Amino acid sequence: MNNIKQPKTLKSITRKIFYSLPVSLRYLLRKIIYLPHDLLSKRNPLVPPKGKIFIGSGDFLRIGNQFFQYFKKYGNITPDSAVLDVGCGIGRMAVPFTSFLSTNGKYEGFDIVKSGIDWCTKNITSRYSNFHFRLIPLQNDLYIDGKLEKAAHLKFPYDNKSFDFVFLTSVFTHMLEDDVMNYISEIHRVLKDDSICFTTFFILDEESESAMNTNGVKQFNFHYDHYSLMDNRVKEANVAYRKDFLFENLKKYNFEVLKFIRGNWSGLTTGELNEHQDILILKKL
């Protein structure tokens, strides 16, 4: 590993302070900051209080609906589809499916954060019986305190070829190499033949690394063989993967990369969707 020093910005300093806190204190701090808003605002029953949201900034419904349009465009989904949301968080991507899936369709989601699963079960499953949320606690230094089973050892609790569409939004961006490779293998196992996986990454190649070091929104300055980290103390806070390594392994696990759509994180001109993270559309072979 070699490190490259970059000028510190207020945002990067704030991020480092936040990451230095224990995970439980990070959750508590968010609840305190948003308490006045959550007490005073009138809320859609399918939108969690801001103090409970741990999945990033932005308008909860707008972002969910925007990605749902991508899922319809690239995922070949129908109202009768069986879909799997890997790292479902607190239901941001699940909500738009509630008005799309028929009673013959089904949504399955799992996540490592108990508060998100509890909220989704109480507020979504109670209204839509074909939506199921499962807690699978796994080791992750961004979201969970303590040592648990590694994602590298997880077998997804679903049958072979049981899903028409699998998606992951901002999941592989918080996972290390062995964990990512196991998830790719498991996604291939549970996905039906010729079906689509939609996923996001931070992808490093010559172009994105050059742009990142000059005008990128994010810099990954801690370099390992196949990936780089934004913060070496909280490794899973943000992880970027080398493009050649990633594409070679996707091919190894019998996925075809149908589309690579650049995000704007590195400062490069983005692809057609102008999202922050890079997007890969994968087809199971």
Side-chain angles (χ1 to χ4, degrees), residues 11-12 16 44 46 68 100-102 104 114 120 135 162 175 181 184-185 222 232:
K11 188 172 182 178
S12 67
K16 282 186 176 295
N44 181 322
L46 292 181
F68 180 67
F100 176 77
L101 291 179
S102 71
N104 294 322
K114 184 177 186 300
C120 289
L135 175 66
S162 53
M175 295 177 68
M181 292 303 110
I184 290 173
S185 175
F222 300 91
N232 206 32

Side-chain angles (χ1 to χ4, degrees), residues 23 26 139-144 232-237:
V23 176
R26 293 179 216 155
Q139 186 172 314
N140 187 287
D141 61 6
L142 178 62
Y143 291 114
I144 295 182
N232 206 32
R233 292 178 301 172
V234 184
K235 292 181 169 58
E236 286 150 319

Side-chain angles (χ1 to χ4, degrees), residues 7 12 16 30-31 64 70 77 85 101 107 113 118 141 172 187 189 198 201 211 223 232 242 247:
S12 67
K16 282 186 176 295
R30 184 175 181 92
K31 287 181 181 179
Y70 306 156
I77 55 174
D85 184 353
L101 291 179
Y107 167 100
V113 180
D118 288 347
D141 61 6
F172 287 145
I187 290 166
R189 180 181 67 79
F198 178 109
F201 282 93
H223 302 302
N232 206 32
R242 308 259 176 279
F247 279 41

Side-chain angles (χ1 to χ4, degrees), residues 95-249:
V95 170
F97 277 98
T98 61
S99 58
F100 176 77
L101 291 179
S102 71
T103 55
N104 294 322
K106 72 171 182 176
Y107 167 100
E108 296 282 344
F110 73 86
D111 202 90
I112 65 176
V113 180
K114 184 177 186 300
S115 60
I117 295 300
D118 288 347
W119 191 91
C120 289
T121 300
K122 180 180 179 181
N123 293 278
I124 300 178
T125 303
S126 63
R127 293 176 170 88
Y128 303 93
S129 60
N130 55 339
F131 281 64
H132 306 108
F133 300 88
R134 189 187 299 254
L135 175 66
I136 305 180
L138 296 168
Q139 186 172 314
N140 187 287
D141 61 6
L142 178 62
Y143 291 114
I144 295 182
D145 285 318
K147 298 294 183 182
L148 296 167
E149 180 183 9
K150 292 185 176 182
H153 303 145
L154 176 66
K155 181 174 182 179
F156 289 5
Y158 310 106
D159 293 336
N160 295 352
K161 301 183 179 180
S162 53
F163 292 100
D164 301 292
F165 178 58
V166 177
F167 61 95
L168 310 83
T169 55
S170 197
V171 174
F172 287 145
T173 54
H174 303 298
M175 295 177 68
L176 298 179
E177 180 180 333
D178 290 346
D179 302 327
V180 170
M181 292 303 110
N182 180 55
Y183 269 38
I184 290 173
S185 175
E186 282 296 287
I187 290 166
H188 190 276
R189 180 181 67 79
V190 303
L191 192 58
K192 294 178 183 177
D193 293 342
D194 298 320
S195 293
I196 299 297
C197 173
F198 178 109
T199 185
T200 68
F201 282 93
F202 295 121
I203 295 178
L204 298 171
D205 58 15
E206 187 174 338
E207 290 178 87
S208 63
E209 287 192 84
S210 176
M212 171 186 79
N213 291 323
T214 55
N215 61 346
V217 178
K218 284 183 168 65
Q219 283 84 37
F220 294 89
N221 300 324
F222 300 91
H223 302 302
Y224 294 80
D225 287 344
H226 303 128
Y227 61 90
S228 296
L229 305 176
M230 180 180 290
D231 190 305
N232 206 32
R233 292 178 301 172
V234 184
K235 292 181 169 58
E236 286 150 319
N238 289 280
V239 187
Y241 281 90
R242 308 259 176 279
K243 181 182 176 183
D244 55 355
F245 166 79
L246 185 59
F247 279 41
E248 285 171 11
N249 277 277

Side-chain angles (χ1 to χ4, degrees), residues 263-275:
N264 61 29
W265 67 270
S266 69
L268 283 173
T269 301
T270 62
E272 59 199 80
L273 302 183
N274 195 28
E275 288 295 334

